[in-house]
Amino acid sequence: MSAPQTAGEPAAEPTNVSLFQPITLGSRTFRNRLWLSPMCQYSAEDGVPGQWHVVHLGARAKGGFGLIFAEATAISPEARISLGDTGLWNDSQEQAWQDIVDFVHERGARIGIQLSHAGRKASLRTPWHTEPGALPIEDGGWTPLSASPIAFPGSTEPTQATGAQLQRIVEDFAASAVRARGAGFDVVEIQAGHGFLLHSFLSPLSNERTDHYGGSLPNRARLLLDVVDAVKEVLGATGPSLFVRLSATDWLEHGLTVHDSAEISQWLRERGVDLVDVSSGGLLPAEIPLGSGYQVPLAQHLRAKAEVPVAAVGLITSPQEAEEIVASGTADAVFVGRAGLADPSFGLRAAHELGHQAAEQLWQKQYVRAIWK
């Protein structure tokens, strides 16, 4: 077996498997197109990632993925979903993330961070709390901000964000992006889906504003585009690649549609976003047609209409399915979530099952004895 690859560098040998072809997005090249989704762990202290995050992300970095994503990470204390969320607003957090980034790079993978403001989904208890739901003020909770004072079911009614508060949020996203670059992350992703702050502006179901942040789609997209412009500026031409996660549809009448998201994706491409990470839902409870790869057609639509690279995500659980998505040109990369939680070595298994010619190069030298034959 050859020495481990330098972080993110493609294997020297050609591959006959589309999923394991390298891809360049912005200033970074990724060794393959099988990536780990950002998934909240709710296990931080004061926003600082700890040993759990080292083990969780490190185990998957040695598992053959081309890109490992850290969870949704708050840009400020009040941007957290819960008190257990990771953050990136101070020096202690940046240093802790840098240690994790260095470890992932030593395993040959690239690593990204998803910057987020929870909006009306902020100030919640952790999901496994005996009394899930809104976190009371007396227990450390706070009043959420959103586009309009419309509560997410089970949450505290938010305050409508003022213009000054929105400007501060744009600045907070940019400041966290500076820290992400300082910590060595390869990708910065802006969370604009799943019912969080930026999504609450995009959807007419949660945005009833009458100012220049409400009404028409360009107005509802204004905050997201302001954030993208600010983050793109501080990352620079040689900094981390820039992704945006969208919920392409709310799956609800009168909500955000895939056609709206295609137009938004075109605006993102024009502003230099390197990839759109295509998810859906999360704004309000909805009847979603859950099933294997149920969001893949959304990614395909955005890729075709906006002519922007996209990643597909959502109940993609087998290597064969992931390979078909990339090989068919439906999406440029695939994120796996639950499958990656269940199997830290999902990437190694995928390379083996798909007959990747350079599969052995993905293995760490300590584990060579376990290579499948």
Side-chain angles (χ1 to χ4, degrees):
M1 175 180 169
S2 60
Q5 299 286 320
T6 302
E9 291 299 317
E13 292 85 350
T15 175
N16 57 327
V17 181
S18 297
L19 193 62
F20 286 89
Q21 292 282 355
I23 183 171
T24 299
L25 297 163
S27 63
R28 300 293 192 271
T29 297
F30 304 85
R31 65 184 180 184
N32 63 50
R33 300 160 187 246
L34 180 59
W35 301 342
L36 181 77
S37 288
M39 291 173 284
C40 290
Q41 301 295 295
Y42 302 108
S43 301
E45 294 286 342
D46 297 322
V48 179
Q51 289 302 305
W52 175 266
H53 301 85
V54 174
V55 173
H56 167 65
L57 294 170
R60 286 148 185 86
K62 64 81 181 165
F65 294 98
L67 172 63
I68 306 297
F69 246 104
E71 62 203 78
T73 298
I75 59 171
S76 63
E78 61 274 13
R80 291 175 291 178
I81 305 166
S82 77
L83 294 177
D85 285 27
T86 55
L88 193 50
W89 66 79
N90 64 34
D91 292 345
S92 297
Q93 296 158 355
E94 182 179 344
Q95 182 58 60
W97 280 122
Q98 183 175 334
D99 294 342
I100 294 170
V101 167
D102 290 345
F103 185 82
V104 171
H105 282 165
E106 289 168 4
R107 308 281 75 76
R110 291 214 182 266
I111 182 169
I113 192 165
Q114 186 185 77
L115 299 182
S116 177
H117 191 299
R120 66 193 193 135
K121 285 187 168 181
S123 191
L124 299 177
R125 298 187 190 274
T126 55
W128 49 77
H129 194 279
T130 55
E131 298 180 13
L135 182 66
I137 299 295
E138 59 269 22
D139 291 338
W142 59 98
T143 301
L145 281 178
S146 191
S148 299
I150 304 170
F152 182 77
S155 301
T156 303
E157 181 177 304
T159 298
Q160 178 167 303
T162 67
Q165 287 171 323
L166 295 179
Q167 181 57 42
R168 174 61 186 272
I169 287 167
V170 172
E171 293 168 358
D172 286 344
F173 268 103
S176 289
V178 170
R179 291 188 178 278
R181 180 171 183 170
F185 281 100
D186 299 297
V187 179
V188 169
E189 178 169 273
I190 297 167
Q191 169 60 291
H194 296 176
F196 297 130
L197 181 74
L198 297 177
H199 185 185
S200 77
F201 274 82
L202 293 175
S203 176
L205 295 176
S206 50
N207 184 345
E208 297 180 345
R209 301 175 74 103
T210 57
D211 61 5
H212 64 300
Y213 291 102
S216 67
L217 183 61
N219 279 359
R220 287 184 276 120
R222 186 183 305 275
L223 180 61
L224 169 59
L225 299 180
D226 286 349
V227 168
V228 166
D229 289 343
V231 169
K232 185 69 177 177
E233 181 177 1
V234 300
L235 293 182
T238 61
S241 303
L242 180 58
F243 295 2
V244 172
R245 170 162 278 191
L246 291 178
S247 281
T249 176
D250 291 332
W251 299 108
L252 291 164
E253 189 176 6
H254 307 305
L256 191 71
T257 70
V258 67
H259 305 292
D260 296 331
S261 293
E263 191 165 4
I264 294 167
S265 296
Q266 182 176 338
W267 299 334
L268 295 174
R269 175 180 58 79
E270 292 167 352
R271 283 168 165 76
V273 168
D274 298 303
L275 178 138
V276 176
D277 174 4
V278 187
S279 188
S280 70
L283 186 84
L284 288 166
E287 291 187 12
I288 299 175
L290 295 176
S292 179
Y294 71 102
Q295 295 176 150
V296 172
L298 303 175
Q300 183 178 25
H301 183 84
L302 267 56
R303 187 177 192 263
K305 295 298 183 180
E307 298 182 338
V308 63
V310 300
V313 64
L315 295 182
I316 300 167
T317 58
S318 76
Q320 294 74 21
E321 182 181 7
E323 168 66 8
E324 173 59 25
I325 290 167
V326 175
S328 66
T330 301
D332 300 275
V334 170
F335 277 112
V336 296
R338 293 174 179 87
L341 288 180
D343 181 2
S345 296
F346 184 86
L348 298 178
R349 179 164 68 85
H352 171 72
E353 291 186 11
L354 296 171
H356 174 35
Q357 293 167 347
E360 291 189 7
Q361 290 195 4
L362 295 171
W363 284 76
Q364 301 295 298
K365 60 183 180 292
Q366 295 91 341
Y367 291 159
V368 167
R369 289 172 292 174
I371 290 178
W372 294 292
K373 299 297 183 183

